[in-house]
Amino acid sequence: MAPTLTEEIAAAAARLVVEDGMEYGPAKRKAAKLLGRTSLRSAEMPANEAVEDEVRAYLQLFCADTQPAELRALREVAAQWMERLAPLRPHLAGAVWRGTATRLSAVHLQLYCDDSKQAEIFLIDQRVPYEVGSRPGPRGESVDVLTLASTSRVLGESVTVHLTVLDHDDLRGALKPDSRGQTSCGDLAGLRRLMAQSVAQS
């Protein structure tokens, strides 16, 4: 049976995620354009879960020799920053948490603060250079994203780290499991469990 348009977009988006380090949303939109579809109904766009399934399949087929070590290196970077940012309740999200990251992926940390400026003050006190951006928050409002660079000695290059500043009350919703029983983020203890499991399986 020929794949549906939604399946084709998911597969094309997965290649963009792995090969170009794109995030899921932009990758899906670019994939649709590459397939010659400039306007789509929302129902025709694949869910992130479908793209993630395709990413895992692509990694297994083409990157099985390199991706596990790259994922471990990025998780080490994440753990270092989570230790450093401990007062801001850091939680790891994105591909590094879900296990689909490659060396092109950014580390996404969510900081749950009592004051939206608490994270910036912390970085300034630590003399960490950063850039300020924004993205839609969990309630649709704009939230700050602080972006910094962190060197990975294992990868031999700089890793982009995005710090999304959220309200402390948002944490409860972030820890709810999805339809597959997986959470969208986890704390340092959870990350260390994943890292230990990875070592045991290798």
Side-chain angles (χ1 to χ4, degrees):
M1 177 184 287
T4 65
L5 175 60
T6 300
E7 291 169 338
E8 288 183 352
I9 293 172
R15 287 194 296 273
L16 293 170
V17 168
V18 177
E19 294 178 2
D20 296 344
M22 295 184 68
E23 301 292 340
Y24 283 18
K28 288 191 288 187
R29 292 189 292 272
K30 185 173 182 179
K33 289 181 180 178
L34 290 173
L35 292 170
R37 303 301 294 265
T38 55
S39 61
L40 287 172
R41 301 192 310 273
S42 59
E44 293 177 304
M45 273 294 193
N48 285 345
E49 290 81 4
V51 177
E52 183 176 83
D53 288 344
E54 292 289 343
V55 167
R56 293 186 188 280
Y58 191 95
L59 291 172
Q60 184 63 36
L61 190 59
F62 297 108
C63 309
D65 293 339
T66 57
Q67 190 266 343
E70 293 174 0
L71 174 62
R72 280 196 299 274
L74 291 171
R75 283 178 167 173
E76 287 170 4
V77 171
Q80 291 165 5
W81 279 100
M82 292 173 83
E83 289 174 356
R84 191 170 179 179
L85 298 166
L88 305 178
R89 305 178 186 92
H91 282 64
L92 177 63
V96 181
W97 170 252
R98 303 281 282 195
T100 57
T102 70
R103 67 190 308 125
L104 298 178
S105 303
V107 172
H108 290 270
L109 295 179
Q110 296 173 344
L111 308 180
Y112 294 90
C113 304
D114 298 319
D115 182 336
S116 62
K117 293 303 178 183
Q118 186 179 359
E120 285 196 64
I121 294 169
F122 187 90
L123 292 180
I124 291 169
D125 288 345
Q126 295 273 319
R127 298 181 179 175
V128 176
Y130 64 91
E131 296 180 359
V132 181
S134 64
R135 53 159 287 190
R139 293 186 292 271
E141 79 288 18
S142 180
V143 297
D144 288 340
V145 179
L146 312 179
T147 300
L148 55 92
S150 183
T151 301
S152 167
R153 284 181 289 181
V154 175
L155 297 177
E157 59 190 49
S158 181
V159 174
T160 299
V161 180
H162 296 300
L163 310 175
T164 300
V165 184
L166 300 169
D167 189 274
H168 184 246
D169 292 339
D170 295 325
L171 180 56
R172 187 178 306 165
L175 296 178
K176 289 181 179 178
D178 60 19
S179 59
R180 300 180 177 187
Q182 297 177 308
T183 58
S184 64
C185 66
D187 61 12
L188 181 56
L191 173 58
R192 285 177 171 153
R193 285 194 295 271
L194 290 179
M195 295 171 75
Q197 291 169 8
S198 177
V199 170
Q201 293 168 359
S202 60

